[in-house]
Amino acid sequence: MQDQPSAQTPPELFTWEFATDPYPAYAWLREHAPVHRTRLPSGVEAWLVTRYADARQALADQRLSKNPAHHAEPAHAKGKTGIPGERKAELMTHLLNIDPPDHTRLRRLVSKAFTPRRVAEFTPRVQQLTDQLIDGFAAKGEADLIHEFAFPLPIYAICEMLGVPREDQDDFRDWAGMMIRHGGGPRGGVARSVKQMRSYLVDLIHRKRDDLGDDLISGLIRASDHGEHLTENEAAAMAFILLFAGFETTVNLIGNGLHSLFMNPRERDRLQASLAAGETDLLATGVEELLRYDGPVELATWRFATEPLTLGGQSVGTGDPVLVVLAAADRDPARFAEPDTLDLARSDNQHLGYGHGIHYCLGAPLARLEGQTALATLLTRLPDLRLAVEPAELRWRGGLIMRGLRTLPVTFTPEGA
């Protein structure tokens, strides 16, 4: 854990120590520099927004565009403000990079796939996938819950929703694995994986035209064929971002959530007792609290000012990048009582873990289902689950937007022992 910076000394951001526990630094920024201009590791300068009220305002402010074309810096810098490789792979026209009216049109097309009814219909399959993955290690007495569980579960789930054939899903798992490693893989590996994924998706769209099903990609093709004017690039980019945004957030929700429960054994015992009694209320509020307390998305994706504006008392210039720090806003004592305390029964919990406004996470219902199913099944089937290493030995992935563990090694009594 980092030392709390003094009132005069701004905290050092984006170090490995910061990645392990960014919350003291965010507390300093909330108090002393709530809208703070800083140079990011990429060299791009951006404003960090850390208070809840300012964050909520910024997330809904239409003067803050999602389109990187509004970035004031030279074109070469624009490649530093999104998903690595998406520009070269012609995958820019997705929901995280566009504004109304295109955003409204594309979001409407895919929103049908994530209605409560559709997600409810998918519940048995998520449970089946969860049990199959646990079956793979339950008899061993040890596992890495990131690589053997939290990572593959949302990959296979979103692949099935998209309509990726079973025989191709392991390829997606490999590409996604390279993307989630960020700086930990071979140079250029992320961009190559993005390019391979795009080629595959374009080919899959062509193949599905002759055999439409009830999946999401088939739905995009039908919409395009019925006059919605969805270009091939838009369809591929949409499938790509649903996969990308739909897996890493859930990997981190499960991994960070388990870590938080390990670090707060009273709350973990409380949840296990509730599950053993056949209750679901604490599981539902508990997942929301885990999203608030140490959520999967540390900073909201990029926004760019389309005109001069004032945010948190600071003058933001046209073209300036703005990054809303969800992790800081969700621990703002002006909004949440005892924000640094994990309380799984917290009821007043309008956290920003899935954003706010028109860019509110489309897949939130599916992520909640996966998070609830994963945690409940693990804690029920492997009740004495425990960390296999000291907490200080755990390493967090580097990266600007997401917050997640590299590994989560655990031990437990093998099933059937």
Side-chain angles (χ1 to χ4, degrees):
M1 182 176 292
Q2 288 184 302
D3 294 332
Q4 183 74 36
S6 71
Q8 292 76 32
T9 310
E12 193 173 358
L13 306 177
F14 311 118
T15 64
W16 287 111
E17 292 79 13
F18 170 84
T20 299
D21 182 16
Y23 295 103
Y26 289 149
W28 189 97
L29 290 175
R30 272 197 314 268
E31 183 175 354
H32 300 286
V35 178
H36 175 65
R37 190 171 174 88
T38 190
R39 184 176 293 275
L40 305 172
S42 64
V44 174
E45 290 197 358
W47 293 97
L48 301 182
V49 181
T50 55
R51 287 182 181 168
Y52 183 91
D54 294 335
R56 194 173 165 91
Q57 174 195 332
L59 291 171
D61 195 326
Q62 295 190 6
R63 297 170 297 174
L64 293 174
S65 168
K66 298 292 291 171
N67 189 340
H70 290 294
H71 191 186
E73 292 201 24
H76 70 81
K78 293 178 184 176
K80 300 177 182 178
T81 60
I83 299 167
E86 66 176 358
R87 183 176 296 276
K88 286 186 177 178
E90 299 179 21
L91 289 170
M92 294 292 290
T93 52
H94 57 67
L95 290 174
L96 296 185
N97 284 342
I98 56 174
D99 304 315
D102 286 336
H103 176 271
T104 310
R105 172 176 62 92
L106 294 179
R107 188 175 174 105
R108 185 179 70 248
L109 290 181
V110 295
S111 61
K112 300 164 192 166
F114 297 101
T115 62
R117 181 183 65 81
R118 286 293 297 268
V119 171
E121 290 171 355
F122 202 52
T123 299
R125 181 59 181 147
V126 171
Q127 183 66 63
Q128 186 180 28
L129 288 169
T130 301
D131 280 315
Q132 285 174 353
L133 289 169
I134 296 175
D135 288 344
F137 57 77
K140 294 192 303 181
E142 61 181 19
D144 173 2
L145 289 182
I146 299 298
H147 293 282
E148 295 179 68
F149 183 67
F151 173 66
L153 175 60
I155 283 286
Y156 292 140
I158 197 67
C159 277
E160 294 204 8
M161 289 198 85
L162 285 169
V164 176
R166 295 273 176 94
E167 62 270 20
D168 296 341
Q169 290 181 10
D170 283 337
D171 286 336
F172 263 78
R173 181 174 174 169
D174 291 342
W175 295 329
M178 180 60 69
M179 291 161 64
I180 205 172
R181 285 163 69 185
H182 299 298
R187 185 176 178 83
V190 175
R192 276 196 300 276
S193 293
V194 170
K195 191 173 181 180
Q196 288 171 314
M197 198 176 284
R198 182 199 188 278
S199 296
Y200 174 83
L201 288 169
V202 170
D203 180 63
L204 182 62
I205 289 167
H206 285 306
R207 281 188 282 145
K208 279 190 175 290
R209 283 193 179 278
D210 300 323
D211 186 22
L212 293 176
D214 191 35
D215 55 82
L216 188 45
I217 289 179
S218 294
L220 292 174
I221 293 168
R222 281 195 193 91
S224 182
D225 291 344
H226 285 85
E228 290 281 4
H229 307 299
L230 191 71
T231 68
E232 183 179 271
N233 270 355
E234 286 176 333
M238 183 66 69
F240 166 74
I241 201 59
L242 289 172
L243 178 84
F244 184 82
F247 86 88
E248 191 169 4
T249 50
T250 307
V251 175
N252 295 347
L253 167 58
I254 297 169
N256 297 7
L258 286 166
H259 176 261
S260 295
L261 292 175
F262 288 141
M263 296 299 100
N264 294 270
R266 277 193 193 173
E267 290 300 286
R268 178 228 175 115
D269 291 346
R270 186 183 181 193
L271 178 57
Q272 285 186 282
S274 173
L275 293 170
E279 299 165 357
T280 59
D281 286 356
L282 191 63
L283 176 65
T285 59
V287 166
E288 298 309 304
E289 174 69 345
L290 293 170
L291 283 161
R292 182 201 69 82
Y293 181 76
D294 196 11
V297 184
E298 191 166 343
L299 282 74
T301 49
W302 294 82
R303 284 165 168 78
F304 307 93
T306 58
E307 61 183 76
L309 59 101
T310 300
L311 191 56
Q314 294 286 351
S315 297
V316 176
T318 302
D320 283 0
V322 174
L323 290 166
V324 177
V325 188
L326 305 178
D330 279 344
R331 291 216 190 179
D332 188 344
R335 176 59 185 84
F336 300 99
E338 298 185 43
D340 295 320
T341 298
L342 183 71
D343 176 7
L344 297 182
R346 189 184 294 268
S347 56
D348 180 16
N349 195 1
Q350 287 188 301
H351 63 76
L352 300 176
Y354 284 127
H356 172 66
I358 64 169
H359 290 282
Y360 182 83
C361 177
L362 193 65
L366 177 62
R368 287 187 169 103
L369 167 65
E370 291 170 342
Q372 291 181 19
T373 305
L375 293 175
T377 309
L378 265 180
L379 293 175
T380 301
R381 287 186 57 177
L382 308 174
D384 65 345
L385 200 65
R386 56 198 175 271
L387 271 178
V389 298
E390 290 298 317
E393 295 179 46
L394 295 172
R395 293 291 173 264
W396 296 80
R397 286 195 304 275
L400 191 63
I401 302 298
M402 300 291 185
R403 172 167 171 77
L405 287 161
R406 290 176 178 268
T407 61
L408 187 60
V410 296
T411 58
F412 49 87
T413 301
E415 270 189 347

